[in-house]
Each structure stands twice: as structure tokens, then as C-alpha cells.
């Protein structure tokens, strides 16, 4: 991929639109567009001006009335001469326009090629280029907020600071190295160790933000799990307000994971409706169940749907059976579904036993007052009375999960659904606005996370080296390695392969 060719592509989305915009960029951009242009001479046009004229097809017939905007190097996105051609957005006009440009000497652009040229021109670093792709893909406020900050250079300037600190530290080591024969120690090793430890903590803090960042960027994985027929698919449909999954009273209807996204609380939930967990001889259903447990293991939020009327298992047995599959770091919400047909005392009983089983009984009244609505009072009193009579010596192994939230709901009457949504909004808020570090930086990119964790590993070796009093030149080597990993993130050090991987994620025309 070299910058000497002149590239062209439609930069607006595929399909019919009011207008479509083609971009042409490269040393021959003006000459090439001139060949298919009837209007004022392009050579006479000033940079950043727009002109109305006619675009011709490759048989020199008028194709469309068009507006062209001129950007003269180096004052363009790519840093090269660029023309943006706005035409009416029919598929035919778009295709013919590209054909005419190619016939006049342009090359169809590859994915992300305009952005890659802008990176090469030094207009921004790699994290900023990647942020452009994220910005285009962002579908909610939280993802957009992170992408725009990254595009404006938040991560770049932070990493440049970090890199400078590492370089300063390396300089101290190298200095010591240069004079090592003379038995001079400049900075005390204690001081070097302290600085290295601070940098290590900083790097691991940044790496740790990736879990949140990834959730924001790709949606917060939310598994809907539970026994067959509890109403998991009904819940998915209710939350999406759509008949997304098949609902039926036949056990084992949902066999594969049905996934959809829900925008709520300014973020995106990746809802996964799963096959009900039960013992089965059906091979396909078994496969579905193993996918369910995998989804549950990776969920950040777990919605456990239980039908308290189910005579096969009590709610408490269901929780015990399913608990090993639940990601212990996820927030668990237990939904006692079908409240429309469940006797009040059955709901109260279920809440009481589930609370005792998974939580400290003192939190029950809070759970109840927070979650119950119309039937609240009577259920609350009954559950309270019940918990007093139940043996509260709980198995310590059962208390490991973070306090679950218990909500009686009905997907049929919508009872409890607003409460569920409110809880989801609160959880999302906690997940996406956690003060991660003083700079409020959240890593959303797997490449950055990997490089940061490699940098953290290298600097951990530096600290170990200091502790074990190994020769300074070996320590300096690990320090240089740390700097290398950081430089890869911003692109100060890069390879064609890294660039190709990054820019291939972009769409053509970007
Ligand atoms: N009465 C009542 N029935 C429900 C409710 N939610 C689901 N159902 C019924 O329970 C059965 C199983 O529902 P489904 O969503 O397919 O359960 P899944 O197997 O867990 O996905 C269906 O017949 C639903 O109509 C509810 O809130 N109240
Ligand atoms: Mg289902």
C-alpha cells in the first residue's frame, strides 16, 4: 500500500440515499476529476471551496449535476489533494461515478485507506485512527463518549506522558550502566524501584479498565438463564418489545442462543436468551444447554428466571443447581416470573428462602421494599415472618455471590418490569461510570489492552530485577521492552502487519 496512487470510493453508506459522496484522494486527484467534470477549471479552484457542475459518465454523457469540494494538500484529511463529489444517491449513479473515476485513472480504495493515509500524513496517531472506527460504530451514548475522547487524543496524550516517564526512568538506569565500572550509583535503587512500582500499578489499572471498556463498546453481556418454561424467551421479548424468540409451553423450545441488543440507561445490553437448563437426552438441546452455560459464565449481568409454581424444583433448588454456572463476578437478578398466576404466599416463601440462601437475611426487607409494588405489603410481611422462622445458619459456600436482587415479575401483565429496568439502569450506571483511574481513561480496544498488559509484565520484570539485584543492563532491557509496548499502541513503533490489521476493520470509503 503506497500513497502515490490516487484512490476513490463512495464514502456514504451503501444503498440509495438523498445524496452520495465519493472521495478522491492522491497526487492526481484534480487531474482525474477534471476528466469527468464539466464546469469551472479545477486547477483554478481554491482549497476548501465547493462548486456546482456536471459529472460525466465514461462515454462523456452527463451523469448527474454534482457539487465538488476541493481540498488542496496538505490541508485535507489525508494530507493529499482531495476532491469530494456529492451526487444524487441512486445506486446507478454511484456505481457509474466510481467506474468513470477508475477509467480516468483512479484506483478503488481499500478498507480504511483514507484514514490510513491520514495516519501516514501524521494527522493523528493510531489510537485516534482506531477511535474513528469506534465512533462510527458507536450506537449509544457511553460508547460514543469514550470514542470521541479517544479521537480527540485523550489516550494518546496519556500514553505519551507515561512513555516519557518510562524514558526518564530508563535514562537513570542507563546512566548507572554507563558508570557501573566506576562503582557509582546515581539514583538509589530504592527510588528506581518506587518509580517502577508506581508505573506498574498505573499500567495494570489501565489494563483492568478493559473489562468495562469492552462491555461498553460491544454491549454488556447479559445472560437470561433458568429452567425450561420459566419464561426466559417471554422476558427477552418483553424487554425488546418484540416477538424475537419463540415462546411456547413446550419444554426445550429455545435451543440456541438468541441474542439482541437493548439500549438502556445510555448503554447497550447484549441480551442472550438461552436454552433452559435441564437434563435431556436430546443431543441438539444438550448442545444448546452447554452454550447457555458458557454464555452464563461470561455474563456481566445474569437474569435468572424462575417460575415459583414449577413443581419440578423449588426456587431454592434451582438456584443451587444453576449457581455453579453463574459468573461469580456478574450481578445476579433473580426474577420470580408469572406473578400473575402465583399465590402471594408462594412468592413470599420464594423470596424468603432465596434471600436467606444467597444473602444476609437483614437485607431482605431492603430487597422487598425496593422491589415489590402492588402486592408488596402483604408479601413483604409474609416474607419477613417466614425468614424469622427459618433457620438462618447458611452454608458459607452459598454466600459468595454479590448480593442478588430478587424481583417478582410477570411478562404477561408487565408487573415488575419497570422495577427490573430501573435496576438494570442502576447496574449499567455503576458498570460504565466506575471511577477507573484518576484520568478517567477506559480502554476499549483489545490491541491496547494486550500491549498494556505486556508492558505491565515487562515492568514487573524490572521490579523483580531490582529486587534480585541483577545486572543493570538486563534491567534496562526490560525497561526498553516496556517502552516498546507502549509505543506500539500509539503507533510510534509499528509494522505493516499491525497497520493492515487495524485498517482492514474500517469500511471502504473511510
Ligand atoms: N401466566 C404467565 N405465563 C407466562 C409468563 N411468562 C411466560 N409464560 C408462559 O410460560 C410458557 C413458557 O414461556 P417461554 O418464554 O417459552 O419460557 P422459556 O422456556 O423459559 O423460554 C409459555 O406458555 C408462556 O406463555 C407470565 O408472566 N405469566
Ligand atoms: Mg425459551
Amino acid at each position: 500500500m503506497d500513497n502515490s496512487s490516487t484512490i476513490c470510493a463512495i464514502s456514504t453508506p451503501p444503498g440509495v440515499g438523498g445524496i452520495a459522496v465519493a472521495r478522491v484522494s492522491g497526487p492526481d486527484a484534480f487531474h482525474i476529476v477534471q476528466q469527468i467534470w464539466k464546469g469551472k477549471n479545477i486547477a483554478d479552484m481554491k482549497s476548501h471551496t465547493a462548486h456546482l457542475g456536471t459529472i460525466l459518465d465514461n462515454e462523456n454523457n452527463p451523469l448527474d449535476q454534482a457539487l465538488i469540494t476541493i481540498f488542496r494538500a496538505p490541508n485535507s484529511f489525508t494530507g493529499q489533494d482531495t476532491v469530494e463529489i456529492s451526487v444524487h444517491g441512486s445506486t446507478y449513479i454511484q456505481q457509474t461515478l466510481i467506474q468513470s473515476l477508475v477509467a480516468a485513472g483512479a484506483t478503488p480504495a481499500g478498507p480504511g485507506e483514507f484514514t490510513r493515509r491520514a495516519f501516514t500524513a501524521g494527522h493523528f496517531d493510531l489510537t485516534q485512527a482506531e477511535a474513528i472506527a469506534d465512533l462510527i460504530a458507536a450506537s449509544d451514548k457511553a460508547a460514543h463518549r469514550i470514542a470521541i475522547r479517544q479521537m480527540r487524543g485523550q489516550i494518546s496524550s496519556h500514553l505519551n506522558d507515561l512513555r516519557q516517564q518510562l524514558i526518564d526512568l530508563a535514562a537513570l538506569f542507563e546512566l548507572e550502566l554507563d558508570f557501573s565500572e566506576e562503582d557509582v550509583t546515581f539514583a538509589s535503587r530504592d527510588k528506581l524501584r518506587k518509580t517502577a512500582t508506581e508505573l506498574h500499578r498505573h499500567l495494570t489499572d489501565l489494563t483492568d479498565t478493559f473489562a468495562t471498556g469492552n462491555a461498553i463498546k460491544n454491549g454488556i453481556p447479559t445472560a437470561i438463564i433458568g429452567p425450561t418454561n420459566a419464561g426466559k424467551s417471554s422476558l427477552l421479548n418483553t424487554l425488546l418489545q418484540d416477538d424475537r424468540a419463540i415462546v411456547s409451553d413446550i419444554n426445550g423450545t429455545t435451543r440456541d442462543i438468541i441474542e439482541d441488543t437493548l439500549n438502556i440507561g445510555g448503554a447497550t445490553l447484549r441480551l442472550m436468551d438461552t436454552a433452559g437448563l435441564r437434563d435431556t437426552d436430546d443431543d441438539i438441546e444438550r448442545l444448546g444447554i452447554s452454550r447457555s452455560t458458557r454464555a452464563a459464565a461470561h455474563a456481566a449481568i445474569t437474569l435468572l428466571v424462575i417460575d415459583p409454581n414449577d413443581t419440578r424444583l423449588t426456587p431454592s433448588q434451582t438456584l443451587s443447581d444453576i449457581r455453579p454456572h453463574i459468573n461469580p463476578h456478574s450481578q445476579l437478578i433473580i426474577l420470580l416470573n408469572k406473578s400473575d398466576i402465583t399465590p402471594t404466599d408462594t412468592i413470599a416463601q420464594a423470596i424468603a428462602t432465596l434471600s436467606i440462601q444467597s444473602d444476609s437475611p437483614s437485607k431482605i426487607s431492603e430487597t422487598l421494599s425496593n422491589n415489590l409494588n402492588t402486592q408488596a405489603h402483604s408479601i413483604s410481611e409474609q416474607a419477613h415472618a417466614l425468614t424469622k422462622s427459618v433457620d438462618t445458619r447458611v452454608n458459607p459456600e452459598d454466600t459468595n455471590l454479590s448480593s442478588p436482587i430478587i424481583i417478582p415479575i410477570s411478562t404477561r401483565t408487565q408487573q415488575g418490569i419497570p422495577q427490573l429496568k430501573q435496576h438494570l439502569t442502576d447496574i449499567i450506571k455503576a458498570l460504565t461510570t466506575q471511577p477507573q483511574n484518576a484520568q478517567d481513561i477506559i480502554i476499549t480496544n483489545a490491541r491496547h489492552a494486550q500491549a498494556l498488559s505486556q508492558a505491565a509484565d515487562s515492568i514487573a520484570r524490572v521490579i523483580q530485577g531490582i529486587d534480585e539485584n541483577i545486572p543493570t543492563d538486563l534491567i534496562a532491557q526490560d525497561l526498553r521492552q516496556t517502552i516498546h509496548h507502549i509505543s506500539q499502541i500509539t503507533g510510534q513503533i509499528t509494522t505493516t502487519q499491525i497497520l493492515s490489521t487495524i485498517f482492514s476493520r474500517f469500511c471502504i470509503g473511510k
Side-chain angles (χ1 to χ4, degrees):
M1 222 176 252
D2 71 316
N3 291 348
S4 62
S5 62
T6 295
I7 51 174
C8 69
I10 299 289
S11 289
T12 36
V16 178
I19 60 164
V21 177
R23 266 207 282 208
V24 188
S25 180
D28 289 333
F30 299 150
H31 173 71
I32 287 171
V33 176
Q34 184 65 61
Q35 292 177 58
I36 63 162
W37 172 250
K38 241 174 97 176
K40 192 178 157 188
N41 214 340
I42 294 178
D44 301 332
M45 294 174 183
K46 284 204 186 110
S47 186
H48 293 72
T49 54
H51 306 266
L52 195 65
T54 305
I55 287 287
L56 308 172
D57 68 13
N58 41 7
E59 287 161 5
N60 272 334
N61 298 314
L63 176 66
D64 196 6
Q65 198 172 41
L67 191 71
I68 61 171
T69 314
I70 301 297
F71 302 90
R72 294 197 176 272
N75 299 316
S76 72
F77 179 64
T78 57
Q80 301 180 303
D81 284 345
T82 300
V83 185
E84 284 183 7
I85 308 172
S86 304
V87 289
H88 292 105
S90 88
T91 317
Y92 174 75
I93 292 177
Q94 297 182 44
Q95 282 170 356
T96 312
L97 172 58
I98 292 300
Q99 280 166 9
S100 307
L101 286 167
V102 170
T107 313
E113 206 174 346
F114 292 97
T115 314
R116 184 171 179 164
R117 287 186 179 197
F119 166 72
T120 310
H123 288 181
F124 39 69
D125 73 10
L126 268 190
T127 66
Q128 290 173 298
E130 289 168 313
I132 296 175
D134 294 345
L135 191 71
I136 292 170
S139 60
D140 62 59
K141 194 173 174 183
H144 174 265
R145 179 167 156 264
I146 295 182
I148 196 126
R149 285 195 299 185
Q150 185 177 328
M151 191 177 80
R152 291 164 65 94
Q154 185 207 35
I155 291 187
S156 320
S157 68
H158 185 68
L159 290 180
N160 286 335
D161 281 355
L162 198 62
R163 187 166 171 268
Q164 193 54 51
Q165 290 175 44
L166 286 162
I167 291 171
D168 292 347
L169 184 64
L172 288 176
F173 269 100
E174 311 263 350
L175 205 61
E176 196 187 304
L177 183 63
D178 286 346
F179 291 89
S180 57
E181 314 267 286
E182 296 162 36
D183 212 23
V184 194
T185 343
F186 287 86
S188 77
R189 286 212 157 196
D190 273 354
K191 190 159 171 281
L192 293 179
R193 190 187 191 283
K194 193 165 161 266
T195 312
T197 309
E198 275 162 21
L199 287 167
H200 178 258
R201 211 200 34 240
H202 194 128
L203 285 167
T204 42
D205 280 354
L206 274 180
T207 314
D208 288 346
T209 65
F210 180 60
T212 305
N214 192 41
I216 294 174
K217 188 159 128 185
N218 296 318
I220 298 163
T222 306
I224 305 177
I225 61 168
T228 56
N229 263 5
K232 299 178 296 303
S233 299
S234 305
L235 177 67
L236 177 81
N237 292 347
T238 296
L239 288 173
L240 296 175
Q241 295 183 305
D242 191 13
D243 279 340
R244 181 73 175 78
I246 297 173
V247 168
S248 119
D249 55 6
I250 302 166
N251 282 299
T253 304
T254 311
R255 293 167 158 218
D256 208 345
I257 293 181
I258 300 177
E259 196 176 314
D260 214 324
T261 55
L262 175 69
N263 261 347
I264 183 170
T268 301
L269 289 188
R270 200 144 49 77
L271 286 174
M272 288 168 282
D273 176 25
T274 65
L277 304 174
R278 64 162 179 174
D279 287 329
T280 176
D281 292 332
D282 184 311
D283 282 347
I284 297 176
E285 191 182 350
R286 254 212 307 265
L287 213 66
I289 291 173
S290 83
R291 287 187 184 185
S292 301
T293 54
R294 234 178 304 143
H298 292 111
I301 301 175
T302 308
L303 303 177
L304 171 58
V305 185
I306 296 178
D307 174 2
N309 308 293
D310 196 335
T311 48
R312 294 170 298 184
L313 282 178
T314 66
S316 146
Q317 285 167 325
T318 304
L319 177 60
S320 306
D321 283 1
I322 292 183
R323 180 168 279 182
H325 301 297
I326 298 175
N327 174 1
H329 301 298
S330 80
Q331 172 64 57
L332 174 62
I333 303 182
I334 303 175
L335 298 166
L336 299 170
N337 190 28
K338 310 195 188 180
S339 66
D340 54 309
I341 54 160
T342 315
T344 312
D345 56 345
T346 310
I347 300 179
Q349 171 95 41
I351 292 178
T353 48
L354 289 170
S355 304
I356 290 165
Q357 187 180 357
S358 54
D359 204 20
S360 79
S362 62
K363 288 201 82 181
I364 295 173
S365 61
E366 195 188 322
T367 308
L368 288 166
S369 58
N370 283 345
N371 299 325
L372 295 175
N373 43 21
T374 46
Q375 297 160 299
H377 200 63
S378 105
I379 295 177
S380 161
E381 281 184 348
Q382 289 188 43
H384 236 6
L386 280 164
T387 56
K388 283 194 189 119
S389 62
V390 180
D391 185 355
T392 52
R393 278 170 304 172
V394 275
N395 176 356
E397 269 180 13
D398 279 355
T399 57
N400 282 338
L401 281 174
S402 63
S403 312
I405 297 162
I406 305 172
I407 316 173
I409 61 160
S410 164
T411 64
R412 192 156 287 176
T413 65
Q414 304 295 302
Q415 196 208 342
I417 300 298
Q419 283 85 340
L420 169 60
K421 286 189 175 162
Q422 187 53 52
H423 277 291
L424 288 173
T425 308
D426 294 345
I427 295 166
I428 289 166
K429 204 161 184 186
L431 282 176
T432 57
T433 55
Q434 258 166 23
Q436 297 285 342
N437 42 47
Q439 295 74 25
D440 197 19
I441 286 183
I442 297 179
I443 300 298
T444 58
N445 185 304
R447 186 181 77 83
H448 303 175
Q450 198 195 359
L452 283 167
S453 116
Q454 285 170 328
D457 289 349
S458 323
I459 202 148
R461 282 197 299 277
V462 171
I463 298 166
Q464 194 188 359
I466 296 173
D467 289 345
E468 290 170 4
N469 227 350
I470 70 164
T472 311
D473 54 343
L474 293 178
I475 299 181
Q477 215 169 9
D478 281 323
L479 209 43
R480 276 194 294 271
Q481 195 61 40
T482 315
I483 297 168
H484 173 86
H485 291 305
I486 299 292
S487 307
Q488 273 192 330
I489 302 178
T490 48
Q492 274 131 331
I493 296 174
T494 191
T495 64
T496 317
Q497 200 197 347
I498 292 180
L499 291 182
S500 301
T501 314
I502 291 172
F503 290 104
S504 63
R505 281 181 50 227
F506 281 71
C507 41
I508 286 176
K510 187 56 231 170

